[in-house]
Amino acid sequence: EIVIGLPDEKLAPQIERVLVQEGINSRYVEAKRLKETGPYRLLQVAADYAVRGRFRDLAALARHPDVYAWLLGNLREGGHPPSALLAALDNFAADRLPARIDAERLEKDADLAEVRAVYSAIDYLLKPLVQPAQPLAAWVRPFRELLLRIYGSRELDRNKPDDRYLVEALEWTSAALATLAEVPPDLQPAVDAREAARVVLDALSGKSI
């Protein structure tokens, strides 16, 4: 019933994320590129944060619509108001200008309860990716475990456009991960999570649903 016109198609993913956060269903009229889907962006940002530990990557991960939904489900029981989570990260960034999170300082500051809750939850979420460099195929299982933690409990209906996009994105991602496992061992370099994710994402970036 409502059409949103954009002067630049690159704005579409951001508009979609905002609409999802507001509980508004939307559909991009053009074919959806895999690099605009939740699983693709999840692997991209999660691997960046797991390796570099930068606050800006943590904030981007918390704003990922599917991670945000996961955070709400995990933190609501702890008494943290959903509306306070992202605001707490914004305020923390404005006041402290952090390059990285100092876990010890978070524990000592009672005013940073929401930031500490987000940090701890995402620290748990990304445990499979916080590992030293290892052969490329060894990253298949950690990446699949991350995807399972975010999407494993969701019920999806292929007749619904948003669900169909997600199902097909997960199928494409699973196929790309399976390809990693087929690389002969003597041709597999030792890489960190970020480098391994780049190999997977490069294989998906030009595809569309």
Side-chain angles (χ1 to χ4, degrees):
E1 296 178 0
I2 297 176
V3 176
I4 301 176
L6 303 177
D8 185 343
E9 66 178 10
K10 293 179 182 178
L11 296 173
Q14 176 63 22
I15 297 298
E16 285 185 308
R17 282 194 291 273
V18 172
L19 292 174
V20 167
Q21 290 174 1
E22 296 297 329
I24 300 172
N25 294 325
S26 65
R27 181 178 66 86
Y28 188 33
V29 296
E30 296 193 9
K32 196 176 189 73
R33 297 178 180 86
L34 269 172
K35 65 181 180 180
E36 296 168 353
T37 64
Y40 184 102
R41 296 198 301 266
L42 173 63
L43 289 184
Q44 185 178 47
V45 182
D48 283 347
Y49 179 62
V51 172
R52 298 187 294 191
R54 300 188 310 179
F55 176 80
R56 62 183 293 182
D57 294 326
L58 172 68
L61 196 54
R63 281 178 163 77
H64 185 295
D66 301 322
V67 176
Y68 181 68
W70 180 85
L71 283 172
L72 295 186
N74 281 268
L75 299 182
R76 188 175 288 114
E77 294 180 359
H80 300 286
S83 59
L85 297 179
L86 297 184
L89 290 176
D90 290 340
N91 292 335
F92 181 72
D95 294 341
R96 314 292 177 94
L97 299 175
R100 287 177 170 79
I101 290 286
D102 185 332
E104 292 186 3
R105 293 185 65 180
L106 279 184
E107 289 294 333
K108 297 176 181 178
D109 196 330
D111 294 331
L112 299 178
E114 283 80 14
V115 176
R116 184 165 57 249
V118 172
Y119 170 78
S120 298
I122 288 183
D123 184 57
Y124 162 78
L125 177 67
L126 298 191
K127 273 187 178 179
L129 304 189
V130 183
Q131 301 184 44
Q134 53 187 337
L136 195 56
W139 290 105
V140 173
R141 184 173 180 177
F143 285 148
R144 283 181 170 161
E145 186 175 341
L146 172 65
L147 292 168
L148 188 62
R149 288 184 176 186
I150 294 297
Y151 300 108
S153 62
R154 292 181 60 168
E155 295 184 4
L156 302 174
D157 182 352
R158 283 183 181 271
N159 294 317
K160 297 179 179 179
D162 288 344
D163 284 1
R164 182 174 66 83
Y165 284 136
L166 179 54
V167 169
E168 294 198 26
L170 289 169
E171 289 175 346
W172 276 106
T173 305
S174 180
L177 290 172
T179 301
L180 291 189
E182 297 171 359
V183 178
D186 56 341
L187 297 180
Q188 293 185 25
V191 295
D192 60 26
R194 190 164 179 255
E195 294 168 326
R198 188 178 297 118
V199 173
V200 177
L201 299 177
D202 283 349
L204 298 173
S205 61
K207 300 185 182 300
S208 298
I209 302 172

